[in-house]
């Protein structure tokens, strides 16, 4: 924020308050879940008594980060479009998702709100954060501007309009009215087209300097994430149809889909950003470049294997159920796939451990003065 | 407008969000507004009462520990049972959510994929119009079978043994054991065990086709007599 607006945040103290409050919220949630206090809401199992605090935290976050944008003059950069909207959306989504289906509506209507909630969390919180980051880092790292400003506009406004309209696609074939289900399906397919424009924009940006993925790890993380993003969205456009839903709903296919987008895309982007930022923040080079490579390959192969494994398994499960085989049959066929999935998961986990070890080693190594890194600690 | 702060804040940030909320949340809410929402007390029906009293007969000691003795006098007696049954149902629901049963079990029958054959009538909106579906328990993944027609399909004894150690009844079952629903053995369910069984027996007890037995026969087996397919299994 300060970099893009050249304005300080409202208050540094507030930043710390939010940071610690967040740790508190996470801890309280963990304790609450162990005590069996979960809220029966997909993605929102945070106990109901934690929700107001979490919401307050989100509000403070917006209060802290919006003033720099308000104060700055002139046009604002793409990243800021995403972030600005995201602060509003996340707050509204959290409030809607946690309170409406608990206190205001019940049953099928609560299901519709629940669908909207899960969907908006991905689309209006995680996604704008992720793409905002990409629009910020990619041009810096490639040292050239984004390929097309027009496409950035299409991407942002397309997402803003179509994404929130799709919540109900999580509950197709439920008693939710069919015309609403169709609406959600159509807007889902529409947003996939929008996504394609964003992908084109980013590949247009890297066009001509593709070789940097060999040497520049952050860029490699980012673009791998984008490929997974495209795959996820392409998959979305198919799996959202009623034809696919018949078979894959309730199966491990959906689990694979969620992993592919959450790990394969957003985690990758965060890892790329960390790979880029940590040496700058700590003011010393990475302890081991080899370990960084291991981190990348273990994660990438892990998530690719896991997703493929779960998609295939999902089909088998769905067909087994539709064929009215005894229930146990669907569990039996799952076991070998679950074993492979575990191995893939361990690989991803191993990658993360390598990364943590590398961070630790970098942190404890003797700082070296290097020309690339500014000597001031970047605040 | 497309790049201005106000445009992004009011149109994208608030406007589009509100549009989605109205069309995707408010519309269904208003459509179902005319179906009255049932309280837990109203959900207690005779099928469920039967199962609940069956728990008292099968596990008298556990039952008295958890709920005390029924008072004398026909009217009070009846009211007492209803109240305790509602209490168990509410607690059972809390456990169902808290233990994450809904991560592995769905509660809705779709009109596709032969689900009607397997589990019974397709789910309808009115079935969810009650206090125990805040938030709705549609579920998200089926590791285990759908449960919304589970009530009455199996005896309380079966459930007790199954919750204690699913592997004893279903070979290779990945369902976790729930020893904390019991005081040491499956014939001694504690308040939790009684409550979760009440909840499971409630599911589908409002249906006319209650209890619903699967009317398919696994293609490998020939029916030796008609009736409940699962009784033949073991």
């Amino acid at each position: 924020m300060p970099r893009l607006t050249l304005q300080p945040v409202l208050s540094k103290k507030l930043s710390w308050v939010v940071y610690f409050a967040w740790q508190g919220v996470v801890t309280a949630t963990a304790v609450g879940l162990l005590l069996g206090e979960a809220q029966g809401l997909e993605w929102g199992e945070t106990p109901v008594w934690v929700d107001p605090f979490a919401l307050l935290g989100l509000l403070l976050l917006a209060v802290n980060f919006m003033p720099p944008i308000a104060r700055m003059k002139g046009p604002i950069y793409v990243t800021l479009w995403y972030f600005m909207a995201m602060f509003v959306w996340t707050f509204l989504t959290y409030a809607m998702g946690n309170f409406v289906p608990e206190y205001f509506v019940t049953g099928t209507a609560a299901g519709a709100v629940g669908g909207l909630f899960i969907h908006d969390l991905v689309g209006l919180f995680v996604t704008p954060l992720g793409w905002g980051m990409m629009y910020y880092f990619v041009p810096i790292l490639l040292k050239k501007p984004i390929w097309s400003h027009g496409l950035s506009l299409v991407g942002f406004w397309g997402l803003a309009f179509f994404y929130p309209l799709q919540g109900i696609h999580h509950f197709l074939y439920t008693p939710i009215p069919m015309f609403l289900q169709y609406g959600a399906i159509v807007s889902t397919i529409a947003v996939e087209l929008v996504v394609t424009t964003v992908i084109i924009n980013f590949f247009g940006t890297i066009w001509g300097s593709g070789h940097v993925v060999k040497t520049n790890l952050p860029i490699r993380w980012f673009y791998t994430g984008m490929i997974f993003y495209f795959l996820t969205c392409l998959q979305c456009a198919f799996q959202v149809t009623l034809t696919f839903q018949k078979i894959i709903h309730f199966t491990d296919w959906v689990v694979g889909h969620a992993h592919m987008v959450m790990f394969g895309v957003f985690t990758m982007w965060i890892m790329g950003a960390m790979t880029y930022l940590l040496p700058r923040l700590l003011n010393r080079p990475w302890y081991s470049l080899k370990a960084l490579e291991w981190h990348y390959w273990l994660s990438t192969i892990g998530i690719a294997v896991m997703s493929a494994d779960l998609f295939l398994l999902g089909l088998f499960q769905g067909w087994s159920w539709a064929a009215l085989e005894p229930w146990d049959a669907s569990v039996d066929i799952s076991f070998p796939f679950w074993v492979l999935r575990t191995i893939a998961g361990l690989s991803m986990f191993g990658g993360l451990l390598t990364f943590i070890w590398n961070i630790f080693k970098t942190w404890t190594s003797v700082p070296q003065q290097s020309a690339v890194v500014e000597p001031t600690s970047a605040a | 407008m497309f790049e201005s702060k106000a445009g992004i804040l009011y149109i994208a940030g608030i406007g589009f969000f509100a549009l989605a909320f109205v069309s995707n949340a408010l519309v269904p809410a208003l459509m179902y507004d005319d179906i009255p929402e049932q309280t837990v007390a109203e959900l207690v029906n005779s099928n469920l009462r039967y199962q609940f009293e069956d728990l008292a007969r099968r596990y008298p000691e556990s039952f008295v520990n958890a709920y005390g003795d029924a008072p004398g006098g026909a009217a009070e007696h009846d009211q007492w049972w209803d109240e305790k049954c509602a209490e168990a149902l509410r607690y059972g629901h809390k456990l169902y959510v808290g233990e994450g049963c809904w991560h592995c079990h769905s509660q809705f029958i779709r009109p596709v994929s032969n689900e009607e054959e397997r589990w019974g009538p397709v789910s309808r909106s009115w079935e969810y119009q009650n206090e125990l579906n805040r938030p709705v328990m549609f579920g998200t993944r089926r590791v285990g079978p759908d449960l919304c027609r589970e009530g009455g399909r199996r005896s309380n004894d079966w459930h007790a043994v199954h919750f204690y150690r699913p592997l004893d009844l279903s070979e290779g079952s990945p369902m976790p054991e729930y020893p904390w629903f019991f005081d040491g053995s499956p014939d001694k369910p504690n308040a939790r065990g009684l409550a979760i069984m009440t909840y499971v027996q409630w599911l589908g007890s409002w249906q006319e086709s209650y209890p619903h037995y699967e009317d398919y026969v696994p293609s490998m087996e020939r029916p030796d007599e008609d009736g409940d397919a699962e009784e033949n299994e073991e």
Side-chain angles (χ1 to χ4, degrees):
Chain A
M1 276 290 162
R3 290 242 169 161
L4 281 167
T5 56
L6 302 177
Q7 305 277 346
V9 296
L10 183 69
S11 148
K12 279 224 170 123
K13 269 207 203 100
L14 188 57
S15 303
W16 283 108
V17 170
V18 173
Y19 172 80
F20 283 109
W22 175 244
Q23 311 305 323
V25 164
V26 173
T27 316
T29 305
V31 173
L33 293 188
L34 288 177
L35 292 177
E37 290 285 321
Q39 186 182 9
L41 175 74
E42 198 172 351
W43 279 55
E45 284 178 86
T46 325
V48 283
W49 38 267
V50 177
D51 289 334
F53 296 101
L55 199 61
L56 184 69
L58 289 173
L59 183 69
L60 290 179
L61 206 63
V63 165
N64 203 10
F65 283 116
M66 292 293 242
I69 308 183
R71 267 189 249 122
M72 78 179 278
K73 306 240 162 10
I76 60 176
Y77 181 61
V78 190
T79 300
L80 290 180
W81 311 344
Y82 278 101
F83 281 12
M84 199 168 136
M86 181 274 292
F87 285 124
V88 181
W89 285 333
T90 311
F91 179 80
L92 292 175
T93 302
Y94 198 91
M96 169 193 77
N98 281 284
F99 301 137
V100 175
E102 184 79 37
Y103 303 115
F104 296 103
V105 296
T106 182
T108 308
V113 182
L116 202 55
F117 171 67
I118 358 186
H119 196 73
D120 283 359
L121 271 189
V122 185
L124 302 184
F125 165 51
V126 182
T127 306
L129 257 182
W131 281 114
M133 257 167 52
M134 287 305 99
Y135 277 107
Y136 176 72
F137 283 116
V138 168
I140 291 183
L141 284 171
L142 290 178
K143 299 198 175 59
K144 49 180 166 174
I146 285 290
W147 186 57
S148 155
H149 189 68
L151 280 188
S152 311
L153 276 167
V154 173
F156 175 78
W157 284 95
L159 175 122
F161 184 74
F162 286 116
Y163 221 115
L165 294 174
Q166 308 166 14
I168 290 173
H169 75 199
H170 292 263
F171 292 117
L172 297 180
Y173 287 124
T174 52
I176 294 174
M178 218 51 210
F179 70 94
L180 291 175
Q181 300 190 22
Y182 288 130
I185 296 172
V186 171
S187 24
T188 308
I189 297 174
V191 92
E192 311 316 348
L193 299 175
V194 174
V195 163
T196 312
T197 67
V198 177
I199 300 283
I200 291 175
N201 202 1
F202 273 88
F203 279 84
T205 307
I206 201 175
W207 198 259
S209 32
H211 58 273
V212 297
V213 298
K214 277 189 263 171
T215 48
N216 190 327
L217 250 170
I219 282 289
R220 198 195 303 161
W221 279 110
F222 294 159
Y223 275 82
T224 315
M226 285 180 216
I227 292 174
F228 276 120
Y229 194 79
F230 184 67
L231 289 176
T232 311
C233 292
L234 188 69
Q235 181 189 35
C236 242
F238 288 98
Q239 76 182 26
V240 75
T241 58
L242 291 172
T243 324
F244 271 68
Q245 278 296 311
K246 265 185 218 165
I247 299 300
I248 60 151
H249 195 61
F250 287 133
T251 70
D252 271 331
W253 170 296
V254 185
V255 181
H257 177 73
H259 276 76
M260 185 150 92
V261 72
M262 280 302 149
F263 189 91
V265 183
F266 299 111
T267 307
M268 289 224 165
W269 287 351
I270 292 174
M271 292 306 155
M274 282 174 77
T275 307
Y276 173 71
L277 288 178
L278 274 170
R280 282 165 179 76
L281 289 175
L282 295 175
N283 194 21
R284 64 199 75 168
W286 277 106
Y287 175 77
S288 160
L289 291 179
K290 226 189 193 139
L292 288 182
E293 289 283 338
W294 273 97
H295 176 208
Y296 172 82
W297 286 107
L298 285 174
S299 308
T300 306
I301 294 175
I303 186 63
V305 170
M306 181 185 283
S307 324
D309 175 72
L310 290 176
F311 298 151
L312 200 59
L313 172 56
L315 289 175
F316 289 158
Q317 288 166 338
W319 281 323
S320 164
W321 298 340
L324 290 180
E325 288 192 312
W327 193 264
D328 304 355
S330 75
V331 177
D332 291 342
I333 53 167
S334 303
F335 269 108
F337 289 88
W338 285 342
V339 170
L340 184 60
R341 175 195 176 172
T342 312
I343 297 172
L346 286 176
S347 155
M348 287 144 67
F349 190 63
L352 280 174
L353 287 183
T354 323
F355 194 50
I356 293 172
W357 169 81
N358 204 358
I359 294 176
F360 181 74
K361 280 295 201 184
T362 309
W363 186 28
T364 49
S365 67
V366 188
Q368 281 170 5
Q369 294 302 335
S370 92
V372 211
V373 176
E374 316 94 69
T376 53
S377 77
Chain B
M1 172 188 105
F2 290 126
E3 290 179 58
S4 76
K5 292 180 213 167
I8 290 166
L9 188 65
Y10 296 120
I11 301 180
I14 296 174
F16 287 174
F17 185 91
L19 176 71
F21 182 75
V22 169
S23 61
N24 281 245
L26 215 55
V27 168
L30 292 176
M31 284 178 71
Y32 297 122
D33 208 29
D34 60 326
I35 313 178
E37 177 178 356
Q38 288 177 293
T39 61
V40 176
E42 286 164 354
L43 291 174
V44 175
N45 56 38
S46 54
N47 292 334
L48 181 62
R49 263 284 297 274
Y50 173 82
Q51 294 291 352
F52 188 63
E53 290 175 38
D54 181 68
L55 285 171
R57 275 192 297 275
R58 281 180 206 246
Y59 314 106
E61 234 174 273
S62 312
F63 195 88
V64 173
N65 277 345
Y67 300 105
D69 281 309
E76 290 151 35
H77 190 76
D78 204 44
Q79 197 193 353
W80 184 87
W81 280 103
D82 276 346
E83 272 167 20
K84 292 297 163 187
C85 188
E87 185 187 318
L89 188 55
R90 193 188 292 275
Y91 188 36
H93 169 257
K94 187 172 153 70
L95 291 168
Y96 187 86
V97 173
E99 297 287 350
C101 309
W102 64 280
H103 298 169
C104 285
H105 292 283
S106 60
Q107 284 188 25
F108 81 88
I109 315 282
R110 306 182 302 157
V112 291
S113 250
N114 290 325
E115 293 187 4
E116 278 170 280
E117 304 289 311
R118 193 189 281 275
W119 287 305
V122 171
S123 301
R124 310 290 303 275
S125 273
W126 61 265
E127 298 182 48
Y128 298 94
Q129 209 67 7
N130 59 58
E131 228 185 295
L132 295 184
N133 276 297
R134 281 171 177 253
V136 73
M137 278 290 113
F138 282 157
T140 166
R141 171 77 178 86
R142 282 181 186 152
V143 178
D146 190 276
L147 291 183
C148 74
R149 307 284 178 252
E150 179 68 19
R153 275 175 51 148
R154 305 198 184 257
S155 68
N156 287 322
D157 277 350
W158 189 93
H159 283 300
V161 174
H162 186 251
F163 283 127
Y164 191 73
R165 221 176 101 80
L167 284 175
D168 285 344
L169 289 175
S170 166
E171 208 184 317
S173 171
M175 178 159 148
E177 297 173 5
Y178 292 94
W180 51 91
F181 290 170
F182 301 90
D183 293 328
S185 71
D187 55 349
K188 294 199 200 89
N190 56 23
R192 293 195 198 100
L194 295 172
I196 193 83
M197 283 193 267
T198 311
Y199 180 75
V200 168
Q201 295 290 15
W202 167 68
L203 296 168
S205 63
W206 54 81
Q207 286 278 333
E208 257 172 49
S209 59
Y210 169 94
H212 188 91
Y213 296 113
E214 295 164 48
D215 61 0
Y216 80 92
V217 182
S219 48
M220 302 295 155
E221 290 167 30
R222 292 277 73 207
D224 23 52
E225 72 240 313
D226 60 352
D228 5 341
E230 42 274 313
E231 232 97 288
N232 306 340
E233 260 173 33
E234 300 300 335

